[in-house]
Amino acid sequence: MKAAAVVANILKREGVEFLIGYPVNPIIEAAAEADIRTIIVRQERTGLHMADAVSRITSGERIGVFAMQHGPGAENSFGGVAQAFGDSVPIVVLPGGYPRKLLNLPPNFSSFLNYQHITKWAEQVIAAEAVPDAMRRAFTQVRNGRPRPVLVELPYDLLHEEVADGWSYTPAPQLRSAPDPKDVSQLAAALVAAERPVIYAGQGVHYARAWTQLRALAELLEAPVTTSLQGKSAFPETHPLSLGSGGRSVSKQLHTFLHKSDLIFGIGCSFSVTNYGVNMPKGARIAHATLDPADINKDVRAELALVGDAGLTLDALLLEVRDRLGGKPRGRAEAVAREIKQLKSEWLSQWMPRLTANTAPLSPYRVIWDLLHTVDVANTIITHDAGSPRDQISPFWEPVAPLTYIGWGKTTQLGYGLGLAMGAKLAAPDKLCINVWGDAAIGFTGMDFETAVRERIPILSVLLNNFSMAIELKIMKVATEKYRSTDISGNYADFAKALGGWGERVTEPGEIVPAIKRAIAKTREGTPALLEFITEKAVDFSLFP
Ligand SMILES: Cc1ncc(C[n+]2csc(CCOP(=O)(O)OP(=O)(O)O)c2C)c(N)n1
Ligand SMILES: [Mg+2]
């Protein structure tokens, strides 16, 4: 069997259903021969974002795989892999390599060398018979420990070489580790002793599929829950104990509770300091449970810490906390819920004029509010983009089911959301998959709307077009005034139609809901839809500096 066919065969045994890629790479043809659906994008970055969403939406049970050519393909993929690294997403990246006689000669691009710092595992294969071992190593790394991209560079000539009969492959195991029982006991005691504990859940809860345990612990402790952007949807935001999610913009109830908390318990999170996450108050007492010891005591000092899988950690904590509480809550929940409700209603009444504004150009908040109240939230997967759309949607969107919001932002590449929505739709075809983005974001990856049309991936794309990079207005005053440097333009509804999709431009508030309904109907018929809402250059966010 040729090495390319061996790779395809191994992908099949690892449960890979789609190979997303861009030519030339012989693995693409071999995958099609092995009945793995091949999906060809218009640029590598979007393909990586799609693979990324396949992994996210399945908690890493189905690993997203992307293949591209040596040289330009590998060079052009850098952004997509870097974004997956930043946000800790487990994907397998299969770049071709220059033929072995030229493999490590300048100026030829070496994926092995250049991807070292944005992968957790990178290998260059130089002998055909080593292909099964290299793939075993890559899949073992991607399925275990800290989720992050892995890469196997396969030289072009090697992929056409025979691998001798007798090779074998066993799919990589998924192994979990649990924290030290002595530390669990200490942390449980601290949680029970705390007067105002807050639980901060990260995406480790999604990867461990530990949503039930998270909720059980919150209800037992009667502790309010927030999440990181990446962890958003790990806890139902309509639950009386929910504070909403963290992010750059946050709710008043979250801000208030964090600042009054006497113990913040982070589970499955890194506590990394970032512009796109809620900062922990100075001097806060922190208990930190995470899979990766490299995150303990990194950005915040942890008074108590646990290392292990979020599911096993929560299981162990639940036993200890139950034991200490005699098996039942102490009767605090009602008061906590009342305080949350009061703060939430103050906060929402302050925002209601923006969320229901009857103005044109449209308030982006009105578009988001109408979208939230038109779709079936439990059966929708939504993602934001970089820039204002992220900060406008994340505090107000209330997910009610796990893995229905793809939050991101350890790095924030404009245009990421489109590929995420497409990958989500591939992994969860029965869900309505939406990306909300601005007109700067579509400039990066918009052409891949054509991929959605051609590959029959019927997503709903919600574009907030304000003909501007509005978020930069404040910091580019002179350049804007002298050279119009923050202005951008385009007619994206026509663009979507020209690419074969459904496109509509919406300018009036009363047209928002009917247009959303028409677009959803189109996606049900199999046609991707793009709604272009003409919005104001809004620069107001729910910030608590
Ligand atoms: C690849 C990349 N380059 C630059 C940025 C910095 N950046 C963040 S948001 C933004 C402009 C956003 O404009 P738009 O998407 O139209 O949203 P608006 O603020 O106008 O609502 C820029 C330049 C980025 N996030 N990603
Ligand atoms: Mg804009």
Side-chain angles (χ1 to χ4, degrees):
M1 198 184 264
K2 295 259 196 289
V6 171
V7 172
N9 210 283
I10 289 172
L11 293 180
K12 189 116 188 161
R13 287 197 220 174
E14 288 287 1
V16 175
E17 290 169 81
F18 321 101
L19 178 71
I20 305 162
Y22 199 82
V24 180
N25 185 321
I27 296 170
I28 298 173
E29 186 64 4
E33 281 165 7
D35 294 327
I36 295 174
R37 178 177 167 192
T38 52
I39 295 170
I40 302 302
V41 285
R42 299 303 291 257
Q43 67 151 319
E44 289 81 359
R45 213 185 105 190
T46 309
L48 283 149
H49 298 337
M50 290 167 69
D52 173 322
V54 169
S55 296
R56 285 188 191 240
I57 284 305
T58 63
S59 302
E61 280 180 4
R62 287 149 75 193
I63 295 289
V65 183
F66 183 79
M68 68 288 203
Q69 84 149 76
H70 64 281
E75 290 158 7
N76 214 26
S77 297
F78 208 83
V81 181
Q83 178 71 56
F85 182 80
D87 263 349
S88 284
V89 186
I91 54 171
V92 171
V93 187
L94 300 175
Y98 281 88
R100 280 166 290 178
K101 65 180 181 194
L102 302 171
L103 186 56
N104 292 315
L105 293 183
N108 299 338
F109 184 85
S110 162
S111 289
F112 172 65
L113 290 179
N114 285 288
Y115 278 93
Q116 289 290 335
H117 302 295
I118 54 164
T119 54
K120 68 182 277 193
W121 183 263
E123 180 169 355
Q124 185 181 63
V125 185
I126 50 167
E129 72 257 27
V131 165
D133 288 344
M135 295 299 285
R136 184 194 65 232
R137 286 188 280 269
F139 270 97
T140 303
Q141 292 304 316
V142 83
R143 287 198 197 280
N144 288 285
R146 174 69 168 264
R148 268 183 172 160
V150 300
L151 177 143
V152 183
E153 182 179 16
L154 296 149
Y156 194 75
D157 59 327
L158 177 144
L159 284 168
H160 291 291
E161 222 168 65
E162 284 289 323
V163 176
D165 284 350
W167 66 272
S168 67
Y169 188 82
T170 310
Q174 194 165 10
L175 307 163
R176 298 194 296 163
S177 57
D180 187 331
K182 165 176 74 48
D183 301 330
V184 172
S185 200
Q186 264 185 23
L187 203 145
L191 280 174
V192 170
E195 284 300 319
R196 292 183 66 94
V198 169
I199 301 176
Y200 175 67
Q203 63 178 335
V205 174
H206 284 319
Y207 283 102
R209 305 179 88 85
W211 311 294
T212 318
Q213 297 101 303
L214 172 66
R215 185 168 173 164
L217 184 68
E219 288 174 353
L220 186 60
L221 284 168
E222 302 164 276
V225 181
T226 182
T227 68
S228 63
L229 267 185
Q230 290 79 355
K232 192 168 167 80
S233 82
F235 190 77
E237 292 192 20
T238 48
H239 190 289
L241 290 173
S242 173
L243 299 170
S245 63
R248 177 165 171 255
S249 50
V250 299
S251 71
K252 181 174 180 179
Q253 56 273 29
L254 172 53
H255 178 75
T256 312
F257 266 82
L258 273 185
H259 281 263
K260 286 191 183 170
S261 175
D262 58 347
L263 184 65
I264 298 170
F265 169 52
I267 171 75
C269 68
S270 68
F271 277 122
S272 294
V273 170
T274 154
N275 279 345
Y276 311 107
V278 58
N279 286 329
M280 295 302 132
K282 267 209 178 80
R285 280 183 72 216
I286 303 244
H288 191 181
T290 173
L291 192 60
D292 190 349
D295 281 334
I296 306 275
N297 278 330
K298 182 172 70 78
D299 302 61
V300 299
R301 192 184 78 80
E303 188 176 311
L304 296 149
L306 302 176
V307 172
D309 168 82
L312 294 177
T313 301
L314 288 168
D315 287 343
L317 276 171
L318 270 168
L319 283 177
E320 286 275 348
V321 171
R322 237 179 237 133
D323 200 37
R324 286 178 156 76
L325 293 180
K328 55 178 196 309
R330 290 163 283 188
R332 297 176 172 185
E334 212 175 297
V336 177
R338 205 179 317 121
E339 194 179 340
I340 295 174
K341 199 173 168 188
Q342 174 63 31
L343 289 161
K344 185 174 176 180
S345 86
E346 286 167 25
W347 174 65
L348 274 183
S349 61
Q350 184 195 331
W351 278 93
M352 212 41 86
R354 299 291 286 133
L355 294 163
T356 58
N358 215 17
T359 43
L362 305 168
S363 152
Y365 291 100
R366 166 81 189 255
V367 176
I368 289 163
W369 195 245
D370 282 2
L371 185 66
L372 177 66
H373 295 101
T374 305
V375 305
D376 170 8
V377 178
N379 288 302
T380 296
I381 299 173
I382 191 162
T383 189
H384 54 248
D385 215 283
S388 312
R390 173 198 53 238
D391 306 328
Q392 287 156 348
I393 194 172
S394 77
F396 298 106
W397 195 267
E398 293 191 326
V400 293
L403 298 173
T404 55
Y405 188 101
I406 306 180
W408 47 278
K410 289 292 161 33
T411 172
T412 52
Q413 294 177 15
L414 282 165
Y416 184 25
L418 176 71
L420 287 178
M422 289 163 65
K425 188 71 184 171
L426 280 177
D430 296 337
K431 296 268 198 307
L432 170 66
C433 296
I434 308 178
N435 75 304
V436 179
W437 52 349
D439 49 331
I442 196 174
F444 282 80
T445 54
M447 271 310 292
D448 269 297
F449 189 77
E450 188 274 338
T451 303
V453 174
R454 174 172 37 86
E455 293 283 357
R456 301 174 308 285
I457 307 171
I459 56 153
L460 169 59
S461 201
V462 170
L463 183 77
L464 306 176
N465 186 4
N466 53 13
F467 302 100
S468 171
M469 300 186 219
I471 206 169
E472 313 300 353
L473 285 171
K474 275 189 193 157
I475 54 168
M476 288 173 63
K477 277 189 182 141
V478 177
T480 298
E481 223 174 273
K482 278 192 180 169
Y483 305 115
R484 303 171 54 215
S485 295
T486 50
D487 285 8
I488 40 182
S489 73
N491 182 326
Y492 304 100
D494 283 357
F495 170 77
K497 284 187 263 188
L499 296 180
W502 175 260
E504 256 193 83
R505 182 176 264 202
V506 182
T507 55
E508 295 303 319
E511 269 306 302
I512 299 174
V513 171
I516 292 170
K517 288 184 176 160
R518 285 191 291 272
I520 293 173
K522 283 291 158 189
T523 67
R524 293 216 177 101
E525 290 167 15
T527 306
L530 186 146
L531 293 177
E532 180 192 28
F533 295 98
I534 304 301
T535 53
E536 21 153 315
K537 296 175 180 47
V539 286
D540 53 340
F541 306 106
S542 184
L543 303 181
F544 293 86

